[in-house]
Structures are given as C-alpha cells and as structure tokens.
Amino acid sequence: MATASVIEEANERECSVCHEEFREPKVLPCGHLLCRHCLLSWLQSQPQAHCPLCRCVIVEGGAGQGGASSVEVMVEGFPTDLAMAALVEAQRLLSKDHRCCVCEDVAATSLCLHCGDTLCKACTRVHGKLSVSKHHRVEDLTSLTAEQLTASRPSTCAAHPEETCKLFCPSHGLSVCVLCASSKHRGCPQLKDLQEKTEEARALLAEMAARLSAGEAEIERAIGELERHLQDTETRTKKSVAQMEADLDRLQAALNACRRRIGQLAEGATSDDREAVQDGKNFLLQKRSKLTSHKAVIERAKGSKKGDVVNDMMSSMEQRIQELDCSATLPANAKVISKVSLAIDPGVVTRIEQDLAQLGQVNTVPAVFTALSNLHGSFSFHDNHGKNIVLSNNKQTAERTRENAYAIVMSRDPMQVGVLYEVQIDKWDTCRAAIYGHLIPGVVTQRPDTLTLPQWSGELLPAAVVYSSGVIHCGSTAHKSSTIGSVLTTLRAGNRVGVAVDSSHGLHLYVDGQDQGVVSTNLPQPCYALFDVNDYTRKVTTLPLTKLA
C-alpha cells in the first residue's frame, strides 16, 4: 500500500491504473493524474475510491450515489492536464517507425519542426538548400524530445486546423484564428492578442506555483521543527537516564532490577511523543504531497508553449489552487506531546543506601502540544450551520452559496479562555442587496447542536454579536449603539476577524490581530465562536488558534 510519506512514480507519463501512457489525464484532488476512462471505472467500481499513489480520498463522502451518469459528470468536472496530454501525444509520435515523406520506402532520420515533414538523410540536405525551407529548424529524430516537439507546434484553430490561432475570445474562453474571429466571434467584445493573453495566464500560473512553493517550504520547516523536538526529547531523556545510572551505580548489584525498571520508564516516557510526532509528520507529508503534485501540474502548464494549454489550465486550476490548504497547521485533534522529566528524588538515594526497598521514580508532566510554538491547530466549524453555507477543507472553510440570509457558522468546540478564534476573509464580492456590508462576529452561549438557526445572527439567542453600528449583548434582544464595530465596514478579502473571551468572561473583538475592545461582559460559559458570513463577505477560513498574553 502506498503511503503519504513514500510515493514512487515509475513513469510520470504512465497511468497508475492501466500502466499505459495517459489518455485525457485528469487531475485528482491530491494532484496526481489518472486517465479519464480509468478514473471513471475506478470510481464506479469502488465508491470510496482512494488515489492509487497516495491513498488520498478522491471524492469526499464517496461517489456513485446518483448512478453512473453522476459519476461521469463528476469525472468531467476534474481538470484535464492538457500539458501532460500534449507531451504524451508528442512521445507517441516520436516512438513511431518514421518513413521519409518524399522517398516513402526509406527510413526517416530527421523531422522538420516548421512543416512537420519526416526526412531521410538525402532529403534533409535538399530541404536545407531550398529557398522556401532553408531556414526551417530540422532536428535529428534520435535526439528529439517530446518537450521540444510540443514546444515547436503552434496553437491551431479547432475549426480550421490549417490556421494558427492568433486571438483569444474571453467570452467563450477559446483560442481562435483570424477567420473565426471575423465570422463566429465578430460580436464578441474585447478579443485579445493570444500572446498577450498567454503571458497574463502564465503570470497567474507563476503566482500559483509561488504559493505552492511557499506552502512546501512552510511544511518542510514544520517537519524540521517536529524532528528537532523529538531529538531534543531523546537527548534530555538520555541525559536524565545517565545521571540516574550514576546514582544507581552506588547500589551495585542490589539495584540491577531498579536499573531495568528505569530503562522501561524512559522508553515509555518518549513513546507517546514519538507517536504524536510521527502522526504530525505523516499529516504534514501528505499535505506536502498534494502541494508538490499540484505544483508539477502548474509547472507543466506554465512551461507550455501552447497558448491554449496555458489559458485552459489557468482557468481550470485557479479555483483548485485557491482551495488547497498550503498552511503547515496540524489538525485540531493532534495528539498531545508531553514535557518529560526523569529524575530520582535526591532524598531517595540516601534512603536506598539505608533501605533497598526504596526505588527511584519517573515524573511525567502533562503539557499541551508545544513542539511548534507558533503552530496550533485551527478550529473547525460545527455541522449545524446556515442552509446557505457549504463547509470544506476539513470543516475549516465556510462559503456562502446564495443570498445573504441563513449564513451563520459556529465553532465545533467551546472557546478556551484567553485564546483568539479568528477567520480570514478569502472571498469578497459586491452585492446590491447589501444591508450591513460586513462579516458579523460574536459568540453563542448554547451548544450549537441544540440551536435552530434564524436568518441572521441578530435574531439568535442567547448570543452576543457585533456589527458596524452597535452590539446585541447576550441575554438581551435590544440593540445598543456602539462604534466598536465601525472598523468592520472596511473589511475586504485578506482581512482577519476574531473573537476572544478573557478571564473575566468579557468578549473582545479583534481585527487583523488588533484588540478593538470589549464587546460584551459577564458572558455565561461555555461560549462558541460565531461568524455570520453576511453581504459582501462570501468565503472565510479559520486560522490557527492564538494564545493571548
């Protein structure tokens, strides 16, 4: 079975299901590729299908509940790696037994990249002397690569294969020739030069690649921190054991049993840490695998010389890359790592000399996961949410799908005192029906699974919410004027909004990490963080929990 930490791909142009060169390769959520027909049969044969390479789930919740037609629609929704398809097609062409297009019965040795003719040695010399072809680029078939062949082929029009695409139609998302532009696309506004559009798309692909690279680097750093933490734990344990053995040496043979016991305790003291670190490492390796695989797709597209490939790949992959989790955060339920302290009670050594019945002891101090001081698990949203909200990314991303109402989300778990619960606005759009125009934060003091959610947070009791012109305090239906939330009207995509409960049970509003002040006091406990994804705000994602000073 393939694991997230060890993935072997013998041939990047070979499908891992049929073990043949790709035919219409589809990009899976993990970034790996499968032939379209292989993916279709794979999902139809096993609804809970995983990627054959990394075991990531292909479709959350399984596929096929709606029958074969729904699986086909699902498969069509996966992006096609056009850059890989072009490379495979070029490789197939190069692997053929080529004959000279002039002599016919003589083996070809060269290929003219300009006109596509295969030529024998004699015809190659003639081809290079003719005035019409002497400037053509002719390559030896034995050294010509699929990448070179793909790059040499111009983008041709689907309707007129003999014509080269010169323009791009944004209305239809197509690369077209001059003939199509003057006929089929005459009424389409803003036809663009294909080269100009290609450069724009390549720039966007470069930004995607940079985001994936940054995510890879962050995960690499986090893995390094985990490994260093484990190494430090083992070093501290060894030092402690060495000191203990120095004391035990004084007891000679009578303390051999105690020595064995100490060794067992030392191993037990680090076993939980080792397991927790390995789990965290495997989780991060799997995330890195996704980023690396998608990065390979993006790099191929970015490097493609075909304008239509670059543009189509940019369009089909942009949403996918935006939704990928590039952070190095560990899951909220990550196993706790303890701080280990091994020592013999100083008084015990003396007493052991007097009475061998006394033994050393090992003290293990429980602690929260502190291996990565700046990496804490992000909180997740509760399954009970507004009907116009869709959750994704392990229930850490909430996106409003329709009108403003019924868009409340709440934290799954109760809030910890002195911890900031924060979300980032991922998507922002203009809504003509905007009433308040901003994300509405707050808390609810009743378990989310017991609530019937209203249209908007101001009607939800018992809760405390804040918006631009005032506050609704917990236990009161009255709106009280306040300017504390006026900053919410300035929010856009990229801004952060959070809430925190202090030790006096006061609710604080945070914007971009800055405390705006106390919103409500004397909150009943426990509290659950609340966010109303309202009006201009379209999509938010939870951020790592932050312990406040």
Side-chain angles (χ1 to χ4, degrees):
M1 178 183 295
T3 66
S5 58
V6 180
I7 300 174
E8 296 183 359
E9 299 181 45
N11 187 342
E12 67 170 4
R13 297 175 189 170
E14 182 181 285
C15 175
S16 58
V17 173
C18 65
H19 300 292
E20 296 180 357
E21 290 184 325
F22 286 114
R23 294 183 181 276
E24 197 175 345
K26 291 291 184 178
V27 183
L28 303 185
C30 60
H32 291 118
L33 307 180
L34 290 181
C35 294
R36 178 190 173 281
H37 66 278
C38 291
L39 176 58
L40 183 60
S41 60
W42 191 254
L43 291 176
Q44 289 174 336
S45 63
Q46 40 186 330
Q48 300 295 333
H50 294 72
C51 171
L53 291 171
C54 67
R55 304 301 298 166
C56 284
V57 177
I58 296 178
V59 179
E60 292 289 345
Q65 289 87 345
S69 60
S70 68
V71 176
E72 290 182 7
V73 172
M74 187 182 304
V75 170
E76 291 303 325
F78 286 102
T80 301
D81 190 339
L82 299 176
M84 175 62 77
L87 287 174
V88 170
E89 181 59 32
Q91 187 60 49
R92 289 194 184 117
L93 178 62
L94 290 175
S95 63
K96 292 181 179 179
D97 183 17
H98 295 286
R99 294 288 170 179
C100 178
C101 67
V102 179
C103 303
E104 296 184 352
D105 57 342
V106 179
T109 59
S110 304
L111 174 69
C112 176
L113 299 183
H114 184 85
C115 54
D117 291 337
T118 51
L119 307 165
C120 63
K121 289 184 178 179
C123 292
T124 299
R125 288 193 294 270
V126 173
H127 198 75
K129 293 179 179 180
L130 295 175
S131 60
V132 71
S133 59
K134 65 181 181 181
H135 297 298
H136 289 187
R137 180 182 171 187
V138 179
E139 294 287 343
D140 190 332
L141 281 171
T142 60
S143 61
L144 182 63
T145 66
E147 288 79 7
Q148 289 174 324
L149 182 57
T150 301
S152 69
R153 292 184 167 183
S155 302
T156 56
C157 179
H160 305 94
E162 71 284 357
E163 296 290 334
T164 301
C165 292
K166 300 291 186 181
L167 301 169
F168 182 82
C169 176
S171 300
H172 295 86
L174 293 174
S175 300
V176 298
C177 66
V178 176
L179 293 176
C180 287
S182 61
S183 57
K184 298 179 181 179
H185 299 270
R186 179 182 300 175
C188 296
Q190 299 179 339
L191 286 178
K192 292 189 174 182
D193 178 77
L194 180 58
Q195 183 61 32
E196 178 184 344
K197 183 63 175 64
T198 299
E199 291 305 318
E200 292 176 2
R202 187 171 281 112
L204 288 175
L205 290 170
E207 292 178 8
M208 296 181 197
R211 181 170 182 262
L212 295 173
S213 295
E216 282 183 312
E218 185 180 358
I219 289 176
E220 285 289 353
R221 184 187 64 80
I223 291 173
E225 289 288 342
L226 287 172
E227 292 175 338
R228 283 191 291 274
H229 173 81
L230 181 58
Q231 184 178 6
D232 291 344
T233 299
E234 292 174 342
T235 299
R236 289 193 303 270
T237 301
K238 289 178 181 178
K239 289 181 178 179
S240 299
V241 171
Q243 181 60 51
M244 294 173 70
E245 289 191 346
D247 294 334
L248 289 170
D249 283 342
R250 297 162 54 193
L251 304 179
Q252 300 178 359
L255 294 179
N256 286 338
C258 182
R259 293 178 188 273
R260 291 192 294 271
R261 177 60 178 161
I262 291 300
Q264 294 170 357
L265 291 174
E267 176 60 24
T270 57
S271 61
D272 290 342
D273 275 14
R274 186 177 293 108
E275 181 181 356
V277 168
Q278 188 59 48
D279 287 349
K281 183 178 176 180
N282 286 340
F283 178 83
L284 292 174
L285 283 168
Q286 189 174 63
K287 290 177 73 173
R288 184 185 68 181
S289 175
K290 284 189 178 183
L291 300 187
T292 302
S293 301
H294 280 85
K295 180 181 174 182
V297 173
I298 294 299
E299 290 290 355
R300 277 194 298 273
K302 186 179 68 171
S304 175
K305 303 300 182 180
K306 295 173 66 63
D308 53 345
V309 168
V310 174
N311 289 296
D312 291 346
M313 284 297 293
M314 183 277 295
S315 300
S316 63
M317 292 297 294
E318 185 177 11
Q319 183 65 28
R320 169 72 65 79
I321 298 305
Q322 288 180 355
E323 294 177 351
L324 273 179
D325 182 9
C326 292
S327 71
T329 56
L330 294 170
N333 60 351
K335 293 182 179 178
V336 171
I337 289 183
S338 61
K339 292 181 178 178
V340 178
S341 175
L342 299 175
I344 292 180
D345 187 340
V348 171
V349 177
T350 302
R351 291 197 301 272
I352 287 177
E353 292 176 333
Q354 300 171 354
D355 188 351
L356 294 181
Q358 295 293 329
L359 298 175
Q361 62 183 14
V362 176
N363 296 320
T364 301
V365 181
V368 297
F369 192 100
T370 56
L372 305 175
S373 59
N374 62 336
L375 290 180
H376 302 277
S378 298
F379 68 95
S380 299
F381 292 123
H382 198 278
D383 288 328
N384 185 23
H385 53 74
K387 65 181 180 181
N388 290 332
I389 286 291
V390 172
L391 300 182
S392 61
N393 185 28
N394 294 323
K395 300 180 182 178
Q396 293 176 354
T397 296
E399 183 169 8
R400 178 168 50 80
T401 58
R402 297 183 184 176
E403 64 274 8
N404 302 320
Y406 297 106
I408 297 172
V409 288
M410 299 162 288
S411 62
R412 180 191 63 191
D413 302 315
M415 297 175 66
Q416 303 175 46
V417 173
V419 174
L420 176 60
Y421 287 72
E422 195 174 26
V423 298
Q424 176 172 289
I425 299 176
D426 296 330
K427 189 180 292 187
W428 180 270
D429 58 13
T430 301
C431 174
R432 294 181 180 177
I435 301 173
Y436 299 102
H438 60 77
L439 180 69
I440 300 177
V443 297
V444 60
T445 61
Q446 188 171 322
R447 282 172 36 202
D449 58 351
T450 65
L451 294 172
T452 299
L453 299 181
Q455 290 192 17
W456 76 290
S457 51
E459 301 170 348
L460 181 62
L461 293 175
V465 295
V466 56
Y467 42 97
S468 59
S469 61
V471 174
I472 292 182
H473 292 276
C474 191
S476 171
T477 59
H479 161 267
K480 298 181 179 180
S481 297
S482 172
T483 60
I484 194 170
S486 59
V487 66
L488 296 174
T489 61
T490 66
L491 297 179
R492 297 294 185 271
N495 289 127
R496 311 185 325 264
V497 180
V499 289
V501 176
D502 61 27
S503 58
S504 300
H505 298 172
L507 176 63
H508 292 249
L509 170 67
Y510 279 78
V511 175
D512 289 334
Q514 299 298 314
D515 188 357
Q516 305 298 311
V518 177
V519 175
S520 187
T521 57
N522 300 321
L523 291 172
Q525 298 297 308
C527 289
Y528 297 81
L530 175 151
F531 297 93
D532 197 343
V533 186
N534 205 284
D535 295 320
Y536 294 122
T537 308
R538 171 69 67 172
K539 180 179 178 182
V540 298
T541 296
T542 65
L543 295 174
L545 297 174
T546 303
K547 184 71 175 178
L548 300 173

